[in-house]
Amino acid sequence: MPESLSELKALSENLLYAWDRHIRGLFWRMDTALWERCGHNPKVFLRRISQQRIDELAGNAAFLEEYQYVLGLFRTYRDQTSRPSALVAEKLDSEQGLIAYFCAEYGLHESLPLYSGGLGILAGDHCKAASGLGLPFVAVGLMYRQGYFRQQIERDGSQKALFQPHDLRDLPITLVCDDNDAPLQIVVPLPGRDVVVQIWRAEIGHLALYLLDTDVEGNDEADCSITFQLYGGDKKRRIEQELVLGVGGVRALRALGLEPSVWHVNEGHAAFLMVERCREAIAAGTTFEAGLEQVAAATVFTTHTPVAAGHDVFEHDLAAAYLAPYAKAMNLPLEQLLALGQSEQNQTAFNMTTLALRASRYQNAVSRIHRGVTAEMEAHIWPQVPIDESPLQYVTNGVHVQTFLSRQWSYFFDMHAPGWRARQCDHHFWHDLVASIPDQQFWLQRMSIKADMLDYVGNCLARQYRRQGVGEAHIERRLAMLKPTFGRDPMVLVFARRFATYKRATLLLRDAARLAALLNDPERPVILLFAGKAHPADEPGQALIRALVEQSQQPEFAGKLFVLEDYDLAMGRQLVAGADVWLNTPLYPMEACGTSGQKAGLNGALNVSVLDGWWGEGFQGDNGWAITPYNHSDPEQRDHYEAEDLLDLLEDEVIPLYFNRGHFGYSPGWVARAKASMYTVLPHFNAQRMLLNYIENLYIPATRHGRRLARDNGKPAAELVAWKQRVADAWPGVTLSRSNGRPEQIDSGEPLELHIEVQLQGLSAEDLRLECVMTRVRDDGETEAGICCLLAPENGENGTAIYRLAEPIEVPGRYEYQVRAYPHHPMLAHPFETGLMRWL
Ligand SMILES: *Cc1c(COP(=O)(O)O)cnc(C)c1O
């Protein structure tokens, strides 16, 4: 490498290239064909590019100028060190410590294939946004040598899963070494042995992602392969991976000298980190209970799906075998440790989500609807608390705009509003900017992005068909529709997501004849693209792919309906950028959030989706279309109705609007909707907004709470534990009764008198809080939330207390009221944390 180009290496080693299009553009320009052949992997690219080409570029003034420009951008980003941007500075305490983020998968870029789907991409977006905000942040994951599988689809529609080992030198990671340049290693106890783990480091802008790897000399062959595959293997392999991630992750951060003040656990996969931190606390001299209380105080847990496959449950014997070394190290009866993952419904097996909920005080779901579903599923954690008031919060997911906004739109905004990256969450800015684009220009821009996407898709499909042995003439005929000519562009519907059955990829095909009629109108050409992987063990998911491929070969669908193989981030970016309509048909309420529709929406595609997940919050009437889920007990009937609604929508509204071309060849009504999609989705459903919500509602409170309980060697935590025990023992005997009469009627201006006598069972009056909860009864008989009034105690006789309304209530109209009591302590993270509540 000539001296003048030596910094290309630095550009290839920081994943900033995953979202900085200027950096990728530079590599692309150096040798476009090679860049594509190398799978957009800069390290491989720089190794393979010919010396002749390099020398040529080193003497090319125009290239050098661009190189210097990109290098300048890179340095500027890199040197804006970890000072939080003004936006965050407002929200962050000066003392906000390090946030440690744990996840089993990370989807940052196709060159680092450590992801399978939504969870991984979200984790990647979270990290990218954290780098952008300059947060003190570190991420921990596993280094899967074989990553997730590459998918091939055969001619008959069967899926072939290829796990290919990577040469780790090809990936944008470096091995972490100690001061003597020897690989830094830690150990993770597994039954009868210690597994040695080494650590890789990936640079994500300002922050580091540490990846744990058991393929180390000294481990036996089976242990070397623990971290080979993402979501491969059986339950035993899974618990081994999760111990390496959770326990190994904590040990790795300690070995690196990092002291997080908040631990963010994503899905139960990483929940063993709580066990390891309890072990540390016990080793430092606390009790198990007080240690757990301290650990939980500084822990945020996010649950990402209601689907059972997302919640690991280990058989009792398996969990017992693997947790035994930890119980021993903690000097704890094994059953006590196992109890953390058990519940009333689930008395023997070990549920990782249950562990995570018990050992965290800050918990969230990933959309409003998902919060309700999860609060119901996990109600056993707070058994007496109404679902609506469950301590479970939600932070709706968002996507990383710089990653998923198409190249063409990014450059367009660079030209017309250069500060747009810093104003991601500014609704007015986006409204005004997008509204100001002339309609015709907006349409042309979208058509040009779509043409690029169809070109990409055509190349992918041609490669796929050739491999399947389809003849050239046939390929050409089949792909004819993907080459639009001006004024006769097809409308493109896309369904791209994992083929999990709840996503119902084939819903649209329930009435195949009707769909065929829609696709085959010569005046209104419509094409339908499907892409996605099914987990290798998911037979029903693979059957969906087969069904789609079979349909795609029927005469009425050939050349109109396509199934693309090997959906990944690179393909995802293309599809979300160029789709006209983004389809999503999940089975309500199983789509926790869904993020691909957000990516499409911010590019100006229109979502046509079941009102589930994020779309329940994002749909505003004019920014896409919604299918209302049917609440029908018969699944067949429900699917039938929803499929019918979907086809009605497409036939009556979506397709006619798209082809309703005005004088200038574009559809003004469509442009209005596409603009609304862009300026409503982009400023809200982005990763920066998501991260700001996490900071405000979870990270900052958890940091404070963790520090508060850890003071004086954890004395407050020990006190809180003792108090909780006292309350739990007394609670079954605590009773409420009304000691004054119930008035027949209260006239306006007259106060409501409430005297409630409470049997305290040895608790003090301050240990309880009594409230009068008022619900307004409307004229139509429906109720709506009213107010909640505090009752103040006076000492009564014989271990009782009398509580009266602290302030007179004066509310006109008809109300229902109920009195409730729950334990109260100033050091609780949430008023209902104990899960105890009693109603009168
Ligand atoms: C965004 C994304 C996903 C997740 O999207 P869903 O809407 O949850 O299906 C999966 N895979 C890739 C490649 C993505 O970019």
Side-chain angles (χ1 to χ4, degrees):
M1 190 63 70
E3 183 59 32
S4 58
L5 294 178
S6 61
E7 300 247 12
L8 283 170
K9 185 163 177 292
L11 295 180
S12 75
E13 286 171 348
N14 190 315
L15 280 150
L16 188 54
Y17 69 71
W19 68 97
D20 191 312
R21 292 185 178 278
H22 297 282
I23 300 178
R24 292 211 301 276
L26 194 68
F27 292 123
W28 179 83
R29 201 141 312 159
M30 288 170 71
D31 186 338
T32 304
L34 181 65
W35 176 246
E36 295 300 334
R37 274 206 308 284
C38 294
H40 308 160
N41 180 325
K43 262 176 129 175
V44 175
F45 176 81
L46 288 182
R47 242 196 1 260
R48 293 206 195 145
I49 191 167
S50 75
Q51 192 62 44
Q52 189 196 349
R53 178 67 182 148
I54 285 285
D55 294 340
E56 207 175 287
L57 289 167
N60 177 332
F63 177 78
L64 288 176
E65 193 175 325
E66 183 174 348
Y67 165 73
Q68 287 302 337
Y69 170 72
V70 173
L71 217 49
L73 293 176
F74 175 68
R75 290 192 184 124
T76 308
Y77 189 93
R78 195 188 49 193
D79 299 342
Q80 290 166 344
T81 45
S82 46
R83 281 260 307 286
S85 66
L87 207 56
V88 194
E90 275 174 41
K91 310 229 169 201
L92 278 182
D93 275 346
S94 54
E95 82 263 34
Q96 171 72 50
L98 183 65
I99 300 152
Y101 184 96
F102 279 62
C103 192
E105 49 173 311
Y106 288 89
L108 290 146
H109 186 252
E110 54 272 22
S111 59
L112 188 58
L114 305 176
Y115 61 93
S116 85
L119 177 66
I121 313 287
L122 183 80
D125 284 3
H126 201 103
C127 292
K128 291 170 183 174
S131 169
L133 289 177
L135 277 193
F137 193 95
V138 62
V140 178
L142 295 179
M143 185 57 239
Y144 306 104
R145 286 189 181 232
Q146 302 178 2
Y148 196 54
F149 71 94
R150 304 286 308 258
Q151 178 198 47
Q152 283 187 358
I153 296 178
E154 306 295 318
R155 209 162 167 168
D156 66 357
S158 54
Q159 166 178 288
K160 208 153 103 190
L162 309 172
F163 277 99
Q164 292 163 338
H166 294 283
D167 185 339
L168 296 193
R169 287 173 313 166
D170 286 349
L171 303 182
I173 53 174
T174 48
L175 191 62
V176 176
C177 291
D178 61 17
D179 295 339
N180 303 320
D181 268 352
L184 187 63
Q185 296 184 332
I186 47 131
V187 297
V188 174
L190 294 184
R193 64 210 194 265
D194 277 345
V195 171
V196 182
V197 179
Q198 62 182 5
I199 307 161
W200 298 86
R201 178 185 163 107
E203 304 287 336
I204 307 173
H206 293 307
L207 54 92
L209 161 63
Y210 291 105
L211 297 162
L212 309 175
D213 177 13
T214 60
D215 191 5
V216 176
E217 213 169 306
N219 290 334
D220 67 31
E221 209 172 308
D223 286 341
C224 283
S225 64
I226 290 176
T227 52
F228 276 4
Q229 296 182 354
L230 170 59
Y231 305 146
D234 56 9
K235 286 278 182 188
K236 180 162 162 291
R237 182 45 34 111
R238 183 64 74 86
I239 199 171
E240 291 171 346
Q241 287 192 333
E242 295 186 0
L243 282 163
V244 171
L245 176 61
V247 176
V250 175
R251 294 187 178 191
L253 294 181
R254 302 298 187 209
L256 290 157
L258 299 174
E259 287 295 330
S261 60
V262 186
W263 303 74
H264 185 178
V265 177
N266 287 277
E267 289 296 36
H269 307 135
F272 286 133
L273 79 80
M274 290 115 151
V275 172
E276 171 64 4
R277 283 163 57 225
C278 281
R279 190 199 59 75
E280 290 180 336
I282 291 170
T286 70
T287 63
F288 170 63
E289 290 80 5
L292 183 61
E293 198 65 47
Q294 274 186 56
V295 165
T299 303
V300 175
F301 170 59
T302 306
T303 173
H304 292 264
T305 179
V307 178
H311 300 262
D312 286 313
V313 181
F314 298 114
E315 292 304 318
H316 176 271
D317 292 352
L318 185 69
Y322 278 87
L323 287 180
Y326 297 90
K328 187 147 172 278
M330 294 158 95
N331 230 336
L332 205 65
L334 177 57
E335 288 309 319
Q336 202 177 344
L337 192 52
L338 289 173
L340 284 178
Q342 293 162 356
S343 59
E344 206 122 297
Q345 308 105 298
N346 171 13
Q347 303 205 357
T348 56
F350 192 89
N351 185 321
M352 294 299 283
T353 305
T354 307
L355 166 66
L357 288 166
R358 293 242 171 83
S360 61
R361 291 288 170 262
Y362 297 89
Q363 298 111 346
N364 72 294
V366 294
S367 72
R368 179 165 43 78
I369 294 172
H370 179 226
R371 180 199 167 276
V373 175
T374 309
E376 189 118 22
M377 271 170 63
E378 308 295 351
H380 63 101
I381 301 287
W382 310 277
Q384 297 175 350
V385 177
I387 302 289
D388 288 350
E389 294 184 281
S390 155
L392 184 78
Q393 310 187 37
Y394 73 92
V395 175
T396 305
N397 289 339
V399 297
H400 191 249
V401 175
Q402 290 98 311
T403 301
F404 291 105
L405 186 66
S406 71
R407 173 174 42 85
Q408 295 90 332
W409 278 126
S410 300
Y411 288 175
F412 181 89
F413 294 136
D414 279 345
M415 205 146 63
H416 296 278
W420 66 272
R421 287 181 182 79
R423 305 187 69 173
Q424 270 172 53
C425 299
D426 185 337
H427 284 257
H428 289 295
F429 171 80
W430 286 100
H431 178 274
D432 294 350
L433 177 58
V434 173
S436 73
I437 305 169
D439 282 1
Q440 190 165 15
Q441 189 179 3
F442 186 95
W443 179 270
L444 287 175
Q445 170 92 341
R446 296 255 336 137
M447 290 307 116
S448 126
I449 298 171
K450 178 162 78 176
D452 281 1
M453 183 270 271
L454 290 177
D455 187 52
Y456 169 89
V457 165
N459 288 332
C460 292
L461 286 169
R463 230 176 301 132
Q464 182 175 330
Y465 294 154
R466 271 182 211 123
R467 206 201 61 247
Q468 293 170 350
V470 181
E472 287 302 320
H474 192 78
I475 292 177
E476 184 139 339
R477 187 146 30 89
R478 253 187 104 188
L479 300 184
M481 282 281 284
L482 299 178
K483 298 190 178 69
T485 48
F486 186 74
R488 282 195 85 70
D489 60 287
M491 174 174 170
V492 180
L493 312 180
V494 180
F495 183 102
R497 41 185 30 94
R498 283 180 309 112
F499 282 107
T501 43
Y502 79 88
K503 299 202 185 230
R504 296 191 298 186
T506 51
L507 192 72
L508 200 54
L509 287 146
R510 279 183 72 93
D511 188 345
R514 194 169 162 206
L515 179 67
L518 288 185
L519 300 192
N520 283 299
D521 180 344
E523 296 301 312
R524 297 165 163 190
V526 178
I527 59 180
L528 191 46
L529 303 177
F530 287 91
K533 297 176 180 176
H535 189 277
D538 180 7
E539 280 301 329
Q542 291 174 53
L544 292 176
I545 301 179
R546 219 168 301 122
L548 288 171
V549 169
E550 279 164 16
Q551 286 286 7
S552 75
Q553 291 161 352
Q554 301 302 315
E556 66 273 30
F557 290 116
K560 309 264 156 133
L561 189 164
F562 302 94
V563 185
L564 286 147
E565 67 184 9
D566 208 27
Y567 179 47
D568 71 352
L569 261 167
M571 185 183 289
R573 283 198 308 273
Q574 293 279 351
L575 295 176
V576 297
D580 291 307
V581 169
W582 198 261
L583 284 171
N584 196 12
T585 49
L587 180 57
Y588 176 89
M590 304 306 274
E591 185 75 286
C593 180
T595 50
S596 57
Q598 302 174 346
K599 301 166 193 168
L602 61 83
N603 274 295
L606 292 177
N607 278 276
V608 173
S609 170
V610 171
L611 273 181
D612 195 9
W614 80 281
W615 197 228
E617 295 156 57
F619 176 57
Q620 296 190 358
D622 64 350
N623 59 349
W625 285 273
I627 301 154
T628 310
Y630 277 79
N631 184 5
H632 204 291
S633 54
D634 176 7
E636 266 301 306
Q637 279 298 321
R638 181 202 53 217
D639 285 2
H640 174 77
Y641 286 134
E642 291 181 16
E644 204 165 59
D645 277 4
L646 172 59
L647 284 168
D648 285 349
L649 255 184
L650 292 177
E651 182 166 349
D652 300 341
E653 295 191 37
V654 181
I655 297 175
L657 186 66
Y658 183 84
F659 288 102
N660 184 14
R661 304 296 163 85
H663 294 308
F664 302 104
Y666 70 91
S667 162
W670 190 271
V671 170
R673 275 187 184 251
K675 284 183 169 180
S677 171
M678 230 167 161
Y679 65 67
T680 56
V681 173
L682 194 152
H684 188 71
F685 296 98
N686 67 61
Q688 189 177 85
R689 188 272 312 151
M690 168 176 75
L691 199 58
L692 291 172
N693 289 166
Y694 271 100
I695 292 169
E696 195 164 15
N697 303 332
L698 296 148
Y699 294 157
I700 288 179
T703 302
R704 288 205 186 119
H705 194 46
R707 289 205 172 125
R708 192 159 50 160
L709 292 197
R711 254 181 244 149
D712 305 331
N713 284 326
K715 212 165 125 222
E719 281 170 18
L720 187 59
V721 167
W723 176 84
K724 281 186 177 176
Q725 190 57 52
R726 208 155 55 80
V727 166
D729 292 343
W731 195 250
V734 171
T735 55
L736 313 182
S737 59
R738 184 161 184 161
S739 59
N740 68 331
R742 206 182 290 266
E744 283 292 311
Q745 169 179 331
I746 306 174
D747 289 329
S748 170
E750 215 180 301
L752 166 69
E753 291 281 345
L754 277 174
H755 299 182
I756 310 295
E757 184 175 284
V758 180
Q759 280 292 341
L760 292 169
Q761 287 298 103
L763 299 177
S764 79
E766 285 69 41
D767 290 333
L768 295 190
R769 184 156 268 185
L770 262 73
E771 285 170 350
C772 174
V773 182
M774 320 268 301
T775 1
R776 202 169 115 79
V777 184
R778 294 199 315 234
D779 290 342
D780 59 7
E782 295 290 315
T783 55
E784 57 186 51
I787 49 173
C788 202
C789 306
L790 201 62
L791 281 74
E794 295 161 10
N795 277 331
E797 290 160 6
N798 307 330
T800 65
I802 304 284
Y803 288 74
R804 295 169 198 273
L805 281 172
E807 309 254 338
I809 304 178
E810 278 198 49
V811 281
R814 204 176 133 205
Y815 281 81
E816 284 171 355
Y817 65 89
Q818 241 188 324
V819 174
R820 69 180 178 193
Y822 56 89
H824 168 71
H825 192 283
M827 258 168 339
L828 291 177
H830 186 280
F832 305 147
E833 175 183 327
T834 61
L836 301 174
M837 190 176 281
R838 177 135 308 150
W839 295 82
L840 176 63

